Amino acid sequence: MINKKWDVMLEQEFKKDYFKKLGVFIREEYQHRIVYPEYKNIFNALRYTDYDEVKVVILGQDPYHGEREAHGLSFSVQEGVPIPPSLQNIFKELEDDIGVKRNCSDLTDWAKKGVLLLNSIMTVVKDRPLSHKEKGWEIFTDNIIKMLSEREEPVVFILWGSYARSKKVLITNPKHKIIESVHPSPLSAYRGFFGSKPFSKTNEFLENMYGKGIDW
């Protein structure tokens, strides 16, 4: 059980051959390796933000691969672990953009406010980034993006970095807004992430559409 509407939307997806093969692979990986996030947390993004509740999508590539970091939400880490550099840069831009100073690394509150924190690849082996690449997750999450693109109610898609930006082709409904820049990682943040103002741009769009933005 993920969430009521997502369960309905994804019912046929779960029956497809690729997803069944993915399920077998993932179960074996969790039995024989250390894999993140915890098995029970894989679908947290969908669990916390149901289909009809999505106002914003922040797309990541795959989960953080350090101990106790990932918990099923892109860019978010559990409390009590060091804040990763990318998330530190996101918080810096958040403060510079709209004056919100945030120290809590767990972004569950964003998810509950309509921000779908979706990783394209939903699992990873400890200390091995992209270890679950091209096992089926990308098909699944691409189809989630397509389902959201088909929605009549406008959504803001925030795409940071070349990988996330490559998913722009899946967002075909002109009602939606795409906000894109380089990735917030230390390698690229100073080449266009800082100063890109994604939070104020998102809220300006949502306020025009719904009369209310996200309380970041």
Side-chain angles (χ1 to χ4, degrees):
M1 186 71 175
I2 297 172
N3 214 331
K4 191 173 182 181
K5 187 64 179 284
W6 277 125
D7 282 328
V8 174
M9 298 289 296
L10 295 168
E11 183 179 3
Q12 295 306 311
E13 206 68 24
F14 295 143
K15 296 176 181 177
K16 292 179 180 177
D17 285 344
Y18 88 87
F19 195 87
K20 292 177 181 177
K21 290 176 183 176
L22 172 63
V24 171
F25 169 77
I26 292 299
R27 284 189 289 274
E28 290 180 351
E29 287 286 276
Y30 274 85
Q31 287 172 5
H32 298 109
R33 304 179 192 273
I34 299 173
V35 181
Y36 300 128
E38 285 186 65
Y39 192 83
K40 65 180 181 180
N41 293 332
I42 293 174
F43 294 107
N44 271 354
L46 303 176
R47 190 170 288 121
Y48 287 127
T49 318
D50 208 355
Y51 179 82
D52 290 331
E53 298 166 356
V54 176
K55 298 288 191 298
V56 182
V57 178
I58 299 180
L59 187 66
Q61 188 163 7
D62 71 337
Y64 295 116
H65 50 83
E67 187 176 357
R68 291 189 59 247
E69 291 181 325
H71 60 124
L73 305 175
S74 64
F75 293 101
S76 178
V77 295
Q78 299 181 81
E79 285 285 357
V81 299
I83 299 177
S86 292
L87 186 55
Q88 290 181 32
N89 287 339
I90 291 169
F91 288 169
K92 184 178 187 302
E93 179 62 17
L94 177 66
E95 185 173 6
D96 290 346
D97 184 7
I98 59 173
V100 172
K101 185 172 179 61
R102 184 183 175 100
N103 297 311
C104 179
S105 61
D106 184 339
L107 305 180
T108 301
D109 60 309
W110 286 5
K112 291 179 177 179
K113 295 170 184 172
V115 183
L116 180 66
L117 298 165
L118 181 68
N119 278 316
S120 183
I121 303 161
M122 300 184 86
T123 53
V124 68
V125 175
K126 182 180 187 292
D127 299 330
R128 288 180 53 198
L130 300 178
S131 47
H132 286 174
K133 181 182 178 183
E134 295 176 355
K135 301 298 183 182
W137 280 129
E138 295 94 333
I139 301 171
F140 179 68
T141 53
D142 279 2
N143 286 337
I144 287 173
I145 294 169
K146 290 175 186 175
M147 289 174 187
L148 289 167
S149 177
E150 291 166 2
R151 239 182 58 169
E152 285 300 303
E153 300 82 8
V155 174
V156 179
F157 290 88
I158 298 179
L159 310 177
W160 290 327
S162 58
Y163 181 83
R165 294 166 91 171
S166 72
K167 304 295 183 178
K168 187 164 60 170
V169 296
L170 305 173
I171 307 161
T172 56
N173 187 339
K175 289 187 174 185
H176 305 309
K177 183 173 181 64
I178 297 172
I179 296 173
E180 54 183 318
S181 74
V182 298
H183 198 275
S185 78
L187 297 174
S188 57
Y190 286 95
R191 292 191 282 109
F193 176 74
F194 291 134
S196 62
K197 300 187 180 301
F199 303 100
S200 59
K201 289 176 180 176
T202 295
N203 276 2
E204 181 181 6
F205 180 80
L206 293 177
E207 285 161 8
N208 287 334
M209 291 294 122
Y210 299 109
K212 183 181 179 183
I214 301 293
D215 178 9
W216 301 101

Tab-separated table of all heavy atoms in Angstrom, residues 52-80:
chain	number	residue	atom	x	y	z
A	52	ASP	N	-3.063	13.406	-6.276
A	52	ASP	CA	-3.866	14.628	-6.341
A	52	ASP	C	-3.285	15.760	-5.508
A	52	ASP	O	-3.694	16.914	-5.644
A	52	ASP	CB	-5.300	14.350	-5.866
A	52	ASP	CG	-6.073	13.490	-6.851
A	52	ASP	OD1	-5.769	13.561	-8.065
A	52	ASP	OD2	-6.973	12.753	-6.416
A	53	GLU	N	-2.334	15.434	-4.616
A	53	GLU	CA	-1.770	16.433	-3.716
A	53	GLU	C	-0.506	17.079	-4.260
A	53	GLU	O	0.001	18.050	-3.691
A	53	GLU	CB	-1.461	15.782	-2.363
A	53	GLU	CG	-2.698	15.226	-1.653
A	53	GLU	CD	-2.342	14.311	-0.497
A	53	GLU	OE1	-1.129	14.042	-0.300
A	53	GLU	OE2	-3.262	13.868	0.204
A	54	VAL	N	0.044	16.547	-5.364
A	54	VAL	CA	1.324	17.034	-5.879
A	54	VAL	C	1.182	18.448	-6.440
A	54	VAL	O	0.373	18.706	-7.328
A	54	VAL	CB	1.878	16.090	-6.967
A	54	VAL	CG1	3.175	16.663	-7.557
A	54	VAL	CG2	2.134	14.692	-6.413
A	55	LYS	N	1.973	19.352	-5.889
A	55	LYS	CA	2.068	20.713	-6.415
A	55	LYS	C	3.419	20.951	-7.079
A	55	LYS	O	3.547	21.732	-8.012
A	55	LYS	CB	1.887	21.748	-5.287
A	55	LYS	CG	0.535	21.707	-4.582
A	55	LYS	CD	-0.563	22.241	-5.474
A	55	LYS	CE	-1.861	22.453	-4.720
A	55	LYS	NZ	-2.417	21.208	-4.154
A	56	VAL	N	4.450	20.265	-6.543
A	56	VAL	CA	5.830	20.441	-7.000
A	56	VAL	C	6.494	19.068	-7.071
A	56	VAL	O	6.231	18.202	-6.232
A	56	VAL	CB	6.631	21.333	-6.009
A	56	VAL	CG1	8.060	21.555	-6.503
A	56	VAL	CG2	5.925	22.657	-5.776
A	57	VAL	N	7.341	18.873	-8.077
A	57	VAL	CA	8.180	17.681	-8.149
A	57	VAL	C	9.636	18.144	-8.126
A	57	VAL	O	10.031	18.984	-8.930
A	57	VAL	CB	7.929	16.867	-9.436
A	57	VAL	CG1	8.869	15.660	-9.491
A	57	VAL	CG2	6.480	16.422	-9.525
A	58	ILE	N	10.425	17.609	-7.184
A	58	ILE	CA	11.873	17.823	-7.195
A	58	ILE	C	12.509	16.477	-7.501
A	58	ILE	O	12.408	15.537	-6.725
A	58	ILE	CB	12.394	18.388	-5.865
A	58	ILE	CG1	11.757	19.744	-5.561
A	58	ILE	CG2	13.918	18.526	-5.915
A	58	ILE	CD1	12.221	20.389	-4.260
A	59	LEU	N	13.128	16.391	-8.669
A	59	LEU	CA	13.599	15.105	-9.180
A	59	LEU	C	15.087	14.903	-8.875
A	59	LEU	O	15.916	15.738	-9.235
A	59	LEU	CB	13.355	15.029	-10.687
A	59	LEU	CG	13.638	13.689	-11.359
A	59	LEU	CD1	12.657	12.631	-10.862
A	59	LEU	CD2	13.540	13.804	-12.876
A	60	GLY	N	15.394	13.795	-8.209
A	60	GLY	CA	16.776	13.386	-7.994
A	60	GLY	C	17.115	12.191	-8.856
A	60	GLY	O	16.249	11.636	-9.538
A	61	GLN	N	18.390	11.771	-8.809
A	61	GLN	CA	18.798	10.626	-9.616
A	61	GLN	C	18.693	9.323	-8.832
A	61	GLN	O	17.873	8.480	-9.141
A	61	GLN	CB	20.219	10.806	-10.146
A	61	GLN	CG	20.613	9.735	-11.151
A	61	GLN	CD	21.834	10.102	-11.978
A	61	GLN	OE1	22.483	11.105	-11.735
A	61	GLN	NE2	22.133	9.293	-12.979
A	62	ASP	N	19.531	9.137	-7.801
A	62	ASP	CA	19.367	7.960	-6.935
A	62	ASP	C	19.653	8.351	-5.492
A	62	ASP	O	20.154	9.451	-5.236
A	62	ASP	CB	20.213	6.769	-7.416
A	62	ASP	CG	21.713	6.949	-7.206
A	62	ASP	OD1	22.176	8.108	-7.099
A	62	ASP	OD2	22.427	5.938	-7.177
A	63	PRO	N	19.316	7.502	-4.526
A	63	PRO	CA	19.415	7.900	-3.121
A	63	PRO	C	20.858	8.120	-2.677
A	63	PRO	O	21.809	7.598	-3.272
A	63	PRO	CB	18.803	6.702	-2.375
A	63	PRO	CG	17.989	5.970	-3.397
A	63	PRO	CD	18.699	6.172	-4.687
A	64	TYR	N	21.015	8.881	-1.604
A	64	TYR	CA	22.314	8.950	-0.936
A	64	TYR	C	22.719	7.539	-0.517
A	64	TYR	O	21.881	6.733	-0.105
A	64	TYR	CB	22.240	9.835	0.307
A	64	TYR	CG	21.959	11.295	0.022
A	64	TYR	CD1	20.788	11.898	0.467
A	64	TYR	CD2	22.878	12.076	-0.670
A	64	TYR	CE1	20.528	13.243	0.233
A	64	TYR	CE2	22.632	13.429	-0.916
A	64	TYR	CZ	21.460	14.005	-0.461
A	64	TYR	OH	21.211	15.327	-0.700
A	65	HIS	N	24.021	7.248	-0.600
A	65	HIS	CA	24.474	5.864	-0.400
A	65	HIS	C	25.255	5.670	0.893
A	65	HIS	O	25.881	4.631	1.094
A	65	HIS	CB	25.323	5.412	-1.594
A	65	HIS	CG	26.426	6.380	-1.954
A	65	HIS	ND1	27.630	6.392	-1.309
A	65	HIS	CD2	26.461	7.375	-2.866
A	65	HIS	CE1	28.395	7.342	-1.830
A	65	HIS	NE2	27.708	7.964	-2.764
A	66	GLY	N	25.205	6.678	1.792
A	66	GLY	CA	25.864	6.541	3.090
A	66	GLY	C	24.918	6.019	4.149
A	66	GLY	O	23.696	6.066	4.014
A	67	GLU	N	25.499	5.538	5.223
A	67	GLU	CA	24.717	4.926	6.299
A	67	GLU	C	23.726	5.913	6.918
A	67	GLU	O	24.077	7.043	7.223
A	67	GLU	CB	25.670	4.404	7.386
A	67	GLU	CG	24.984	3.611	8.476
A	67	GLU	CD	25.968	3.039	9.485
A	67	GLU	OE1	27.188	3.217	9.297
A	67	GLU	OE2	25.504	2.420	10.463
A	68	ARG	N	22.484	5.495	7.053
A	68	ARG	CA	21.403	6.232	7.716
A	68	ARG	C	21.025	7.540	7.002
A	68	ARG	O	20.331	8.370	7.574
A	68	ARG	CB	21.758	6.539	9.174
A	68	ARG	CG	21.814	5.324	10.084
A	68	ARG	CD	21.964	5.679	11.557
A	68	ARG	NE	20.866	6.513	12.008
A	68	ARG	CZ	20.997	7.794	12.376
A	68	ARG	NH1	22.161	8.382	12.347
A	68	ARG	NH2	19.939	8.465	12.782
A	69	GLU	N	21.462	7.716	5.774
A	69	GLU	CA	21.124	8.963	5.067
A	69	GLU	C	19.750	8.865	4.392
A	69	GLU	O	18.810	9.547	4.780
A	69	GLU	CB	22.212	9.292	4.029
A	69	GLU	CG	23.537	9.697	4.621
A	69	GLU	CD	24.573	10.044	3.571
A	69	GLU	OE1	24.580	9.409	2.496
A	69	GLU	OE2	25.384	10.953	3.816
A	70	ALA	N	19.649	8.026	3.381
A	70	ALA	CA	18.447	7.986	2.542
A	70	ALA	C	17.250	7.428	3.297
A	70	ALA	O	17.376	6.497	4.098
A	70	ALA	CB	18.708	7.131	1.303
A	71	HIS	N	16.077	8.013	3.024
A	71	HIS	CA	14.840	7.460	3.595
A	71	HIS	C	13.667	7.604	2.625
A	71	HIS	O	12.523	7.726	3.031
A	71	HIS	CB	14.529	8.083	4.962
A	71	HIS	CG	14.329	9.571	4.948
A	71	HIS	ND1	13.179	10.174	5.418
A	71	HIS	CD2	15.111	10.578	4.514
A	71	HIS	CE1	13.279	11.486	5.279
A	71	HIS	NE2	14.436	11.758	4.742
A	72	GLY	N	13.988	7.561	1.331
A	72	GLY	CA	12.940	7.484	0.321
A	72	GLY	C	12.479	8.794	-0.266
A	72	GLY	O	11.519	8.814	-1.047
A	73	LEU	N	13.143	9.899	0.077
A	73	LEU	CA	12.798	11.217	-0.451
A	73	LEU	C	14.038	11.837	-1.084
A	73	LEU	O	15.099	11.890	-0.443
A	73	LEU	CB	12.280	12.141	0.662
A	73	LEU	CG	11.105	11.634	1.497
A	73	LEU	CD1	10.811	12.615	2.626
A	73	LEU	CD2	9.865	11.441	0.632
A	74	SER	N	13.939	12.321	-2.312
A	74	SER	CA	15.105	12.885	-2.978
A	74	SER	C	15.664	14.075	-2.206
A	74	SER	O	14.915	14.910	-1.692
A	74	SER	CB	14.747	13.311	-4.407
A	74	SER	OG	13.783	14.349	-4.420
A	75	PHE	N	16.985	14.128	-2.111
A	75	PHE	CA	17.764	15.186	-1.451
A	75	PHE	C	17.613	15.220	0.066
A	75	PHE	O	18.341	15.936	0.740
A	75	PHE	CB	17.438	16.567	-2.042
A	75	PHE	CG	17.873	16.727	-3.466
A	75	PHE	CD1	16.952	16.623	-4.506
A	75	PHE	CD2	19.207	16.946	-3.770
A	75	PHE	CE1	17.355	16.743	-5.833
A	75	PHE	CE2	19.622	17.072	-5.099
A	75	PHE	CZ	18.699	16.971	-6.132
A	76	SER	N	16.683	14.481	0.615
A	76	SER	CA	16.412	14.493	2.055
A	76	SER	C	17.244	13.437	2.764
A	76	SER	O	17.456	12.341	2.233
A	76	SER	CB	14.925	14.223	2.294
A	76	SER	OG	14.620	14.172	3.672
A	77	VAL	N	17.731	13.770	3.971
A	77	VAL	CA	18.402	12.769	4.800
A	77	VAL	C	17.786	12.777	6.191
A	77	VAL	O	17.231	13.782	6.640
A	77	VAL	CB	19.930	12.989	4.904
A	77	VAL	CG1	20.596	12.822	3.553
A	77	VAL	CG2	20.266	14.340	5.501
A	78	GLN	N	17.922	11.653	6.863
A	78	GLN	CA	17.368	11.533	8.199
A	78	GLN	C	18.110	12.431	9.181
A	78	GLN	O	19.299	12.734	9.002
A	78	GLN	CB	17.444	10.074	8.662
A	78	GLN	CG	16.656	9.123	7.766
A	78	GLN	CD	16.716	7.698	8.246
A	78	GLN	OE1	15.995	7.303	9.146
A	78	GLN	NE2	17.583	6.898	7.640
A	79	GLU	N	17.394	12.853	10.197
A	79	GLU	CA	18.008	13.676	11.242
A	79	GLU	C	19.138	12.907	11.925
A	79	GLU	O	19.088	11.687	12.068
A	79	GLU	CB	16.952	14.060	12.284
A	79	GLU	CG	15.988	15.140	11.806
A	79	GLU	CD	16.614	16.513	11.792
A	79	GLU	OE1	17.774	16.667	12.203
A	79	GLU	OE2	15.939	17.461	11.361
A	80	GLY	N	20.156	13.638	12.346
A	80	GLY	CA	21.235	13.033	13.106
A	80	GLY	C	22.440	12.627	12.291
A	80	GLY	O	23.436	12.149	12.847
